[in-house]
C-alpha cells in the first residue's frame, strides 16, 4: 500500500509538472501563433501587391501597343483633339453695320412691322430684302431666315422649307456646319440624305453653345444614346487632355484608375490610348501621390510597393490586425484545448492505473489477511482435535466418561473445522466467473429451506415461520444451490443467536423489480454502526459463545451480488437483527 501511495504521489507530481509545461507551452503558443499570423497576413498582402503590380503593368503594355498601332482613344493634331473632335463654337448671322445702309434700313423697316404685330407686312418686307440684288449677301440671308421663321410661325411648313433651302443654297460647306441659322434650317428640312447633320449638331455639345446644340439635337430627334456617347467622348477628352504634351518618346502614365499611353506619329500627331486598371484585389489601394502613406487607420497591417514605371505611383495593401490576431487566438485556443484534453486523458489514465494498482494491492492485502485469518482459525480446532485425540491415543484417560467427553470435543472441533473449510471452498467457488442460473420460484425454494431447518429450530426451542408478501410471483434467475445455501446461512445464524422461546421470522416479498428474502430474530443484534462490517469474512458478533466461522454473512452477500442483488443488515426495534437478501425479479416482460 505504501508503494502504491508513493506511485500515486509520483504520478500526480508528474501530472502537475506536465500541467505547468502545458501552461508555458500555451503562453508560448499564443505568442508564436500571433507572430506567425502577422507574417502570414503580411505575406498575403505582399502577394496581393505583386498581383496588382503585374495587372497594372499588363494594362500599360496593352495601352502602349494600341497607341503604337494607331488604335488609340484620341488623336491630337496641333494641340487640338480631332478624334474625338473637340467641342465647336457656333457662328451666327449678324447685321453688318455700315456695309449696306439700304439693307440696314429695310431690315429695320421689317422689324418695325414685326414688333407691331403685322407679320404679313413683316414677311413681305423681309422677302423684299432677300430679293434686292443691290443689298449684300449677309443682309439677304438674315432676311430669308426671318421670313422662314415667320412662315413657320404661321404654320406654313412648305413655305418655310422653301425659304430655308434658298438660305442654304448660298452657303459654303463650313458655314452649313457651324452657322446656327444654317443648322436650324437643316433641322427644319429634315433631309434624310443629310447624313452629317447629327455629327454637326453634336460637335458643339460641351462647348460654349452646349444648350443650343442640345436643343437642336433634340429637335432633330437625335437619340439619348448618341448624346450619351458624345458625353463619353468629351469625358475621354477631359481625361486625356493633360497628356497631350510630352516628349517624342513613347510613354505611359497613370491617370486615376487608368493607364494612359502616348505615342507621337511621324506626321506629328499625338495618339493617346487608355486602359482601365483591372481590379486590384480587396484592400489594395493605388495612389499617384508621392507623399502618400497608405491606409493609416489604427490597428491595420499595411504593406506598400512602388511602381517604378510610373513616377510617384505606389500600391498599398491593408489588413485588419485585430481580425488576424483574433483568428490566431482561436487557433491557439483550439491547440490548448487539445493539449488540455490530452492532459486530462493522461490524468484519467494515471488515476485509473493508480486505482487499479490500489485495488490490486488491497486485494493482495485482503488475501494475505484472509490466509492469516484462515490459518489462525484453522489452527485452533486442529490443535484441540490433535490434543484430545493424542491423549486418547496414548491411553492416558482411564475413565470411560472422560474419554467420551474428550472424543466429543474432538468431534465438535472437527465438525467446526469441516464447516470452516466448506465456507472457504464456497467463497472460492463464488469468486469464479458467474455460472448460468435458471428461473425459479424464490418463495418455494425458501419454503423448502425453512422446512429443512424446522427440526433445528424446534430443538433450540424457537418458532420458525414463513410469510409471503408482494404483488405476484417471486421469480428470479439464480443458482438454486447457491441461493439455498445463502438462505440456510441466514436461518442458521438467526437460530444460533435467537433466545430460547423466541421466534425466527422468514419473509419473502416480491415488489416491483426485486424479490426480497429477510430473516429476523430477537437476538443480541449487531454492534452499533457495525451492520455493514458483519458481511466481511471472519468477522463475528459480540457473543463469542455462539459457535461460528465468521463466513456465513460474507457468503450471503457474495451470493446476492453474484446474482445482481445485495445483502443488508439492520437492527430491529425492541432488539434483534434483520438481514435481507435482494435479487432482481424475473417478470413476464423481461422473459
Amino acid at each position: 500500500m505504501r508503494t502504491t501511495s508513493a506511485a500515486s504521489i509520483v504520478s500526480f507530481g508528474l501530472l502537475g509538472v506536465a500541467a505547468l509545461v502545458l501552461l508555458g507551452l500555451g503562453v508560448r503558443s499564443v505568442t508564436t501563433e500571433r507572430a506567425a499570423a502577422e507574417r502570414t497576413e503580411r505575406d498575403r498582402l505582399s502577394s496581393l501587391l505583386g498581383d496588382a503590380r503585374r495587372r497594372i503593368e499588363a494594362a500599360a503594355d496593352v495601352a502602349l501597343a494600341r497607341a503604337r498601332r494607331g488604335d488609340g482613344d484620341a488623336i491630337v493634331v496641333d494641340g487640338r483633339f480631332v478624334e474625338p473632335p473637340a467641342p465647336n463654337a457656333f457662328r451666327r448671322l449678324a447685321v453688318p453695320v455700315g456695309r449696306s445702309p439700304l439693307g440696314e434700313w429695310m431690315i429695320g423697316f421689317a422689324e418695325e412691322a414685326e414688333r407691331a404685330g403685322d407679320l404679313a407686312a413683316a414677311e413681305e418686307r423681309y422677302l423684299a430684302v432677300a430679293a434686292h440684288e443691290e443689298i449684300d449677301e449677309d443682309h439677304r440671308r438674315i432676311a430669308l431666315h426671318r421670313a422662314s421663321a415667320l412662315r413657320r410661325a404661321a404654320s406654313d411648313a412648305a413655305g418655310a422649307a422653301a425659304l430655308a433651302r434658298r438660305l442654304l443654297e448660298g452657303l459654303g460647306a463650313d458655314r452649313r456646319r457651324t452657322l446656327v441659322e444654317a443648322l436650324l434650317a437643316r433641322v427644319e428640312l429634315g433631309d434624310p440624305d443629310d447624313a452629317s447633320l447629327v455629327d454637326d449638331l453634336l460637335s458643339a455639345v460641351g462647348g460654349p453653345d452646349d444648350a443650343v446644340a442640345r436643343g437642336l439635337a433634340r429637335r432633330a430627334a437625335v437619340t439619348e444614346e448618341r448624346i450619351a456617347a458624345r458625353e463619353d467622348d468629351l469625358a475621354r477628352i477631359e481625361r486625356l487632355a493633360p497628356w497631350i504634351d510630352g516628349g517624342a518618346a513613347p510613354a505611359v502614365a497613370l491617370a486615376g484608375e487608368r493607364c494612359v499611353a502616348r505615342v507621337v506619329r511621324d506626321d506629328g500627331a499625338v495618339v493617346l490610348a487608355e486602359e482601365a486598371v483591372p481590379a486590384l484585389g480587396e484592400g489594395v489601394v493605388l495612389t499617384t501621390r508621392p507623399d502618400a502613406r497608405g491606409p493609416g487607420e489604427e490597428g491595420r497591417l499595411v504593406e506598400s510597393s512602388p511602381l517604378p514605371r510610373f513616377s510617384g505611383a505606389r500600391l498599398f495593401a491593408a489588413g485588419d490586425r485585430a481580425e488576424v490576431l483574433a483568428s490566431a487566438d482561436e487557433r491557439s485556443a483550439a491547440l490548448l484545448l487539445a493539449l488540455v484534453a490530452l492532459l486530462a486523458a493522461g490524468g484519467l489514465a494515471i488515476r485509473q492505473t493508480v486505482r487499479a494498482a490500489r485495488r490490486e494491492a488491497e486485494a493482495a492485502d485482503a488475501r494475505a489477511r484472509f490466509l492469516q485469518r484462515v490459518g489462525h482459525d484453522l489452527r485452533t480446532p486442529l490443535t484441540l482435535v490433535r490434543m484430545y485425540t493424542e491423549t486418547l491415543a496414548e491411553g492416558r484417560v482411564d475413565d470411560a466418561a472422560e474419554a467420551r467427553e474428550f472424543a466429543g470435543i474432538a468431534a465438535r472441533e472437527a465438525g467446526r473445522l469441516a464447516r470452516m473449510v466448506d465456507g472457504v471452498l464456497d467463497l472460492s467457488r463464488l469468486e469464479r466467473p458467474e455460472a448460468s442460473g435458471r428461473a425459479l420460484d424464490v418463495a418455494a425454494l425458501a419454503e423448502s429451506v425453512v422446512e429443512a431447518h424446522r427440526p433445528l429450530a424446534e430443538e433450540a426451542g424457537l418458532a420458525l415461520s414463513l410469510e409471503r408478501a408482494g404483488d405476484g410471483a417471486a421469480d428470479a434467475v439464480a443458482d438454486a444451490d447457491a441461493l439455498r445455501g445463502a438462505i440456510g446461512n441466514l436461518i442458521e445464524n438467526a437460530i444460533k443467536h435467537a433466545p430460547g422461546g423466541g421466534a425466527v421470522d422468514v419473509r419473502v416479498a416480491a415488489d416491483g423489480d426485486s424479490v426480497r428474502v429477510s430473516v429476523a430474530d430477537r437476538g443480541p443484534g449487531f454492534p452499533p454502526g457495525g451492520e455493514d462490517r458483519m458481511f466481511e469474512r471472519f468477522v463475528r458478533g459480540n457473543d463469542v459463545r455462539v459457535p461460528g466461522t465468521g463466513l456465513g454473512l460474507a457468503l450471503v452477500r457474495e451470493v446476492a451480488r453474484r446474482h445482481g442483488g445485495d445483502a443488508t443488515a439492520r437492527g430491529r426495534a425492541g432488539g434483534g437483527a434483520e438481514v435481507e437478501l435482494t435479487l432482481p425479479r424475473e417478470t413476464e416482460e423481461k422473459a
Side-chain angles (χ1 to χ4, degrees), residues 243-577:
W243 312 103
I244 294 175
D245 298 327
V252 290
L254 283 172
E257 296 182 354
R258 296 173 181 272
C259 291
V260 178
R262 179 181 181 278
V263 173
V264 181
R265 296 192 312 205
D266 294 339
D267 60 1
V270 176
V271 180
L272 298 172
E274 62 178 355
E275 281 292 322
V277 174
L280 300 179
E282 185 178 358
V284 179
V285 177
L286 171 64
T287 178
T288 55
R289 290 173 48 201
D291 60 343
R293 296 183 181 273
E297 296 92 341
E298 191 174 335
R300 305 280 284 177
L301 294 174
V302 181
E303 290 290 310
S304 66
S305 173
L307 295 172
R309 193 172 181 182
F310 309 98
S311 177
R314 266 187 107 73
L315 284 169
F316 292 93
D320 190 333
R321 186 173 185 272
E323 184 177 338
V324 171
L325 294 183
S327 177
D329 290 344
E330 288 180 3
R331 291 192 295 273
S332 297
L335 177 60
L336 284 176
L337 285 176
L339 291 175
V340 168
L342 183 62
L343 183 63
L348 184 60
I350 291 174
R351 182 184 178 189
Q352 294 298 330
T353 302
V354 170
R355 279 187 173 181
R358 184 180 291 116
R359 284 196 297 269
E360 182 64 27
E362 289 174 350
D365 186 61
R367 283 194 296 271
R369 285 188 282 106
F370 175 73
L371 291 175
Q372 183 180 8
R373 182 70 65 82
V374 167
H376 177 273
D377 288 350
L378 288 176
R379 187 177 294 112
T380 299
L382 278 174
T383 300
L384 292 173
V385 169
R386 180 181 175 182
M387 182 180 69
Y388 284 106
T389 55
E390 285 180 351
T391 300
L392 292 172
E394 292 174 358
R396 286 183 289 175
V397 179
D398 297 330
D399 183 48
E402 188 178 6
R404 283 194 299 274
E405 182 183 354
F406 281 17
I409 293 173
R412 286 197 302 273
E413 292 300 326
R416 179 185 169 195
L417 182 62
R419 288 193 299 274
M420 191 177 298
V421 171
D422 289 341
V424 171
L425 292 177
D426 288 342
L427 281 174
S428 176
R429 283 194 296 272
L430 289 175
E431 288 178 348
R432 298 172 187 169
E434 286 189 13
S436 59
R438 60 182 180 82
L440 52 86
D441 184 348
V442 177
L445 186 144
E447 183 177 5
S448 68
V449 176
V450 167
E451 293 303 321
H453 286 78
R454 193 175 296 283
L456 183 62
E458 291 174 353
E459 183 181 347
L462 298 172
L464 180 60
S465 65
L466 173 66
E467 177 190 358
R468 296 191 182 192
D471 56 4
D475 292 340
V477 175
D479 182 332
D481 292 336
L483 186 57
R484 183 179 289 106
I487 297 174
N489 270 326
L490 293 178
I491 295 175
E492 288 175 9
N493 272 349
I495 291 173
K496 289 176 185 178
H497 291 90
V504 174
D505 301 320
V506 180
R507 186 173 186 270
V508 180
D511 299 314
D513 292 332
S514 63
V515 175
R516 298 191 305 279
V517 179
S518 63
V519 178
D521 62 67
R522 288 295 180 182
F526 301 113
E531 290 85 352
D532 197 59
R533 190 170 180 275
M534 299 305 297
F535 289 98
E536 296 180 10
R537 299 173 186 182
F538 300 105
V539 174
R540 300 178 62 191
N542 295 328
D543 191 356
V544 296
R545 295 171 300 173
V546 177
T549 62
L551 293 174
L553 292 181
L555 282 169
V556 172
R557 175 166 280 184
E558 289 290 343
V559 169
R561 289 184 174 177
R562 187 166 178 257
H563 290 85
D566 203 357
T568 57
R570 56 183 172 270
R572 297 181 70 187

Side-chain angles (χ1 to χ4, degrees), residues 57-228:
E57 290 178 351
D61 290 338
V62 171
L64 190 58
R66 287 179 52 216
R68 283 172 171 162
R69 291 196 307 267
D71 181 23
D73 294 290
I75 299 175
V76 181
V77 177
D78 295 332
R80 181 176 177 79
F81 282 88
V82 296
E83 182 59 41
N88 292 324
F90 286 145
R91 289 180 285 177
R92 290 169 174 76
L93 289 173
V95 178
V97 179
R99 185 186 301 177
S100 174
L102 177 60
E104 291 179 21
W105 177 79
M106 293 184 67
I107 289 291
F109 188 51
E111 290 174 347
E112 187 178 321
E114 190 173 356
R115 285 194 296 271
D118 190 355
L119 300 183
E123 179 187 346
E124 183 180 354
R125 292 172 185 175
Y126 283 134
L127 291 175
V129 174
H132 205 300
E133 294 182 358
E134 294 181 5
I135 298 177
D136 64 281
E137 289 292 330
D138 286 339
H139 283 87
R140 294 165 65 186
R141 291 186 182 114
I142 289 173
L144 283 172
H145 173 69
R146 293 184 178 178
S148 175
L150 290 173
R151 287 194 178 180
R152 189 166 53 253
S155 302
D156 183 4
L163 294 177
R165 288 191 183 90
R166 285 179 57 189
L167 172 63
L168 294 174
E169 287 172 357
L171 296 175
D174 181 63
R175 299 193 73 185
R176 286 171 59 92
R177 293 181 59 249
T178 61
L179 198 63
V180 172
E181 288 81 2
L183 288 168
L184 179 59
R186 291 169 66 187
V187 169
E188 294 298 334
L189 288 174
D191 187 354
D193 296 329
D194 192 353
S196 66
L197 174 61
V198 174
D199 292 335
D200 293 341
L201 293 173
L202 294 178
S203 67
V205 171
D209 299 303
D210 179 77
V212 176
R214 290 177 185 271
L216 290 175
R218 288 187 174 85
R219 288 186 64 180
V222 177
T223 62
E224 292 297 327
E225 288 77 6
R226 290 292 303 275
I227 295 175

